[in-house]
Amino acid sequence: MYLKRLLNAALCSLLTTSVLAFTPTAAQINQFQNLPKAQQEALAKQYGIDLSSMNLPSNTAGGLPQQAPMVESTMNASDKHLVVGEKDQGMTGTKELKKFGYDVLQGDTQGFTVVDNLPVPLDYQMGPGDSVSVQTFGKTSANYELTIDRDGHLNIPDLGPISAAGQTFAQLSDQISRVFKQKVIGVDVSIAMGSMRTMQVYIVGEVQQPGSFNVNALTTITQALVATGGVKETGSLRHIQLKRKGKVVREFDLYDLLLKGDTANDVRLSAGDTLFVPALHSTIELAGEVQRPAIYELKSTTSLDQLLAISGGATPQAYLSKVSVRRVTAEGVKQFTIDLTKAEGRRFGVRAGDQVQLFKASSSLRGAVAVRGDVVRQGAMAYQTGMRISDVIGSIEDDLKPSADLTYALLIREYNQDKDIEVYQFNLSNALQYKDSRDNLLLQERDQIFVFSNGLDMTYWNSYAKPKEKIASRGDLSDKEYVDTETGALIQQVSTTELDTAQVDDISSLARNRQANREALLQPIIERLLEQSSLGAPAALIEISGAVKFPGTYPLAKNGDLPSLIAAAGGLTEDAYLRSAELTRREKVSNYGRTVNRQIGFSLRDAISGKYPIALRAQDNIMIRTQPGYQKDLVVELQGEVVFPGKYSFQRGETLKDVIERAGGFTSFAYPEGAVLSRERLKRQEKERIDFLTAQLKQEISAMSLRRQNTSASTPEQALAIVNQLDQAEPVGRLVIDVKQAMTGDKQANVLLEKGDKLFIPALNPVVSVVGEVQFASHHTFDSHLAVDDYLEAAGGLKRQADSERVYVIKANGSVELPNNSFWFSRNDKSLSPGDTIIVPINTDYMDSLSTLSTATQILYQLGVAWSAVKD
């Protein structure tokens, strides 16, 4: 308590003796600094002391560090007006309203210093303290720096004094020139302004730093306000007073400068002037769709029209028919709704404290129709009674993009107050070419037209310049040889003349672009139809699948039928079956609402021609069948020793024998027993099995890594690295065949051809290969008198880790022969053939035996050590 009383006494002394420049003792300041910051601020606020002006020294005992003095903003929370959720003010939105104009004069407080190098205007009024620089040249040359004394005279050496105070700089210059010309013969004079006088003015009122300032004689009202740091937000910008000798000589309205650029009242100050900024009395809040939403100061009676002019006017999106004005009165808050489109509303007078808000106009389409999609000019167009499609889209050449789809377009119409829509489909080409056709629909207000794209890349087709050609290098044009990874055939490529274009069965980029455009435009329509569906009123959607270009879900048009639905799906594909199609429809079968799907078969040809039309309903499903057995691009490639190798087209049902005979049969060097047939379907199956095996092995390795004891010689990481190599294995899809038997007409051996087959007939190669765990893997000349064991001995015999019980032979045609129950293949088995390969696998138990032997050795060693310890 004693410390608090002592501090209170020190602060009171500091306050009451501030005029006498009282300085508190170091002990008092130290005690004050040791208080918490909140208590320091409370005491300073209680006695009106500015902490930044106390110039407290810094200490290391937890006191406040000394800071450079700065002017703090006096705006507090009560001065800020937020639009966000202030129910008492009635404003809506999220933007903070600021008081208009105060940021223009904001700045750091500063005192004026004498500046001598400023250009002096000719109407500058001279006074005591101003100096003039006079230079004479001619008969005599001299420089004079003459200062006007306090009596207003200018003493010229050898010529005497002249009266100078009260004259402008131009008048004084003329007077000095005349004096020299009259009294000194043959002398010319040059006169310039020297240093200007300084004067003291007072700036008081609602400014950031009131007080007295030394300013030069050119200082204006606005410059003086900037020197004080600007006007507080509690001060008035429209009633700034310039007082001279106790009387108001000029009233300055800063809005004239800010809004009109008018500086007529921004006059220069004189010595002893007082610039007074009174408190702010009347403000009004203006928010919403105006150019400058802010809090404005009212000067006199102001109408709504004048207030909007101050704010820069309303935005084009403003709804002027209903302007909100809230006013606080003695009876409570009153709400006014003003129509600014009328003269009476524009004359409505606003008062201090009113809150005015202009709302945004509705963005809904009125008195117009809109067009979207692949048109030259998207957007709205004024609606007129009797308008049709051809009135909105005048011509194909002028109003549509070259990529516009002329066969399929939609008209979306809102038909009730709930904004529910219905869809109309039309042929855009017919609507524009035949004005009286049923496709040239009659429009209503707020209709929207959707024009789809046909997917064409018009940047290429509209450019008639020659496309850039890729010049092949010399090496690319030379003859090449490569091994076909699927059949193993050595293919000799004469030259790179094959066109590098997309495959026939691939989806073209044009179709993809067309599909993407349809999805983008149809998505919001379908979502809106789904949203407006209800019990008893299913969404007006229909699905079409099968042999159409773009199967999927489409809006069911009010004027739609099966031909228009097929047109919406891009039309039929070339494999469409016209004799029959199927319609699936959901129907109720009882009073309890149970529904079933009923299938209805019909002739597609008759439905399209109109002979037996099909009435479509919402949620129907149309299935367009494909032609039975239809396949396209059936090609087989013959390689190797046939008379005419190459790619051959075939019909479904043709066999190996048929295509070989068409290719001229075998050459004299052919070895049919080693024929290789690679099939795409088998490649896909192999890929699936490899992926399955890879996943299974990884799962087993993961389980092995979780076991406490791992007897494997390799780590799980090494095993995973080996398994990962399976991902790089390319499937071959080889089918084991007997071509010689097939050529005899054997139905079992003469397999049917499939799309993408490759048949390789190798030349006779009388070689038998031995690979695997032998001393020297090698190739040997075929000898019909030798058996498997003979070839193994010729390869140096088996290695220690070889698995002699699992030796097998891969025949030249891809089949595999396994050994019989004897140790080796007996000579009575089927003999080897040219091109066969003998495989000697590794004994997988060999490494486990080594591990067991190593473990046993360690156990015996440890037992020996233990026995020695016991024995000793």
Side-chain angles (χ1 to χ4, degrees), residues 251-542:
E251 186 172 284
F252 179 60
D253 186 352
L254 189 61
Y255 278 27
D256 291 339
L257 175 62
L258 299 179
L259 301 177
K260 305 174 185 177
D262 184 5
T263 60
N265 290 325
D266 190 17
V267 297
R268 300 191 188 105
L269 304 181
S270 298
D273 283 353
T274 299
L275 193 60
F276 175 66
V277 179
L280 180 65
H281 292 293
S282 59
T283 58
I284 188 169
E285 296 183 9
L286 180 60
E289 296 299 320
V290 291
Q291 300 295 344
R292 284 191 304 270
I295 301 174
Y296 293 94
E297 180 181 357
L298 298 181
K299 188 174 182 179
S300 58
T301 303
T302 306
S303 65
L304 264 181
D305 198 20
Q306 293 172 336
L307 179 62
L308 287 180
I310 294 176
S311 68
T315 63
Q317 294 80 21
Y319 185 58
L320 301 179
S321 298
K322 293 182 179 180
V323 177
S324 172
V325 179
R326 296 193 68 183
R327 178 173 298 166
V328 179
T329 63
E331 294 80 12
V333 178
K334 289 187 177 181
Q335 177 71 47
F336 299 92
T337 301
I338 310 302
D339 187 357
L340 283 181
T341 61
K342 299 180 180 179
E344 181 181 357
R346 293 191 293 270
R347 292 193 301 267
F348 179 83
V350 293
R351 300 179 184 176
D354 284 354
Q355 298 169 0
V356 182
Q357 185 167 10
L358 276 69
F359 298 100
K360 193 173 184 178
S362 174
S363 59
S364 60
L365 192 66
R366 294 185 179 180
V369 293
V371 59
R372 302 171 181 262
D374 262 37
V375 293
V376 176
R377 291 169 291 275
Q378 292 194 65
M381 178 181 294
Y383 170 75
Q384 296 178 359
T385 306
M387 287 184 67
R388 294 185 176 271
I389 298 292
S390 58
D391 298 321
V392 178
I393 305 174
S395 67
I396 296 176
E397 293 78 10
D398 298 334
D399 297 324
L400 294 177
K401 293 182 179 179
S403 57
D405 189 347
L406 301 180
T407 61
Y408 178 55
L410 294 180
L411 172 65
I412 310 302
R413 176 172 295 164
E414 297 178 356
Y415 62 89
N416 59 19
Q417 294 181 350
D418 295 332
K419 308 297 183 183
D420 292 338
I421 63 171
E422 55 189 12
V423 181
Y424 294 85
Q425 182 177 335
F426 62 94
N427 185 294
L428 188 56
S429 176
N430 292 340
L432 299 183
Q433 293 184 15
Y434 309 104
K435 303 299 177 63
D436 56 348
S437 67
R438 60 187 294 267
D439 293 294
N440 194 16
L441 301 174
L442 183 65
L443 300 179
Q444 295 182 10
E445 185 181 353
R446 300 168 60 87
D447 281 352
Q448 298 191 45
I449 301 170
F450 286 75
V451 179
F452 296 85
S453 170
N454 58 17
L456 285 177
D457 182 9
M458 300 313 300
T459 57
Y460 170 79
W461 291 105
N462 287 342
S463 175
Y464 301 103
K466 183 179 180 181
K468 294 182 179 180
E469 298 177 354
K470 180 180 179 181
I471 306 300
S473 63
R474 188 172 183 179
D476 293 335
L477 297 177
S478 61
D479 295 345
K480 288 185 176 180
E481 288 184 351
Y482 67 94
V483 177
D484 193 323
T485 57
E486 298 172 354
T487 62
L490 181 63
I491 306 298
Q492 183 175 6
Q493 184 174 352
V494 177
S495 61
T496 57
T497 56
E498 185 175 358
L499 292 177
D500 186 16
T501 56
Q503 297 295 326
V504 179
D505 56 344
D506 289 344
I507 299 176
S508 64
S509 59
L510 186 149
R512 285 192 293 267
N513 294 339
R514 190 177 180 187
Q515 180 183 6
N517 176 267
R518 291 194 177 214
E519 291 176 353
L521 288 180
L522 287 175
Q523 184 66 27
I525 301 175
I526 293 176
E527 290 180 354
R528 196 165 174 181
L529 290 173
L530 288 172
E531 182 65 23
Q532 71 186 38
S533 63
S534 60
L535 181 64
L541 299 173
I542 191 167

Side-chain angles (χ1 to χ4, degrees), residues 640-658:
E641 297 300 326
V642 292
V643 178
F644 302 107
K647 294 182 179 180
Y648 289 84
S649 298
F650 65 92
Q651 297 293 329
R652 192 174 184 184
E654 289 194 65
T655 62
L656 284 174
K657 179 183 178 184
D658 298 331

Side-chain angles (χ1 to χ4, degrees), residues 86-98:
E86 294 190 0
K87 297 182 179 179
D88 57 334
Q89 296 184 8
M91 292 296 181
T92 59
T94 59
K95 188 176 181 180
E96 178 183 352
L97 289 181
K98 296 182 179 180

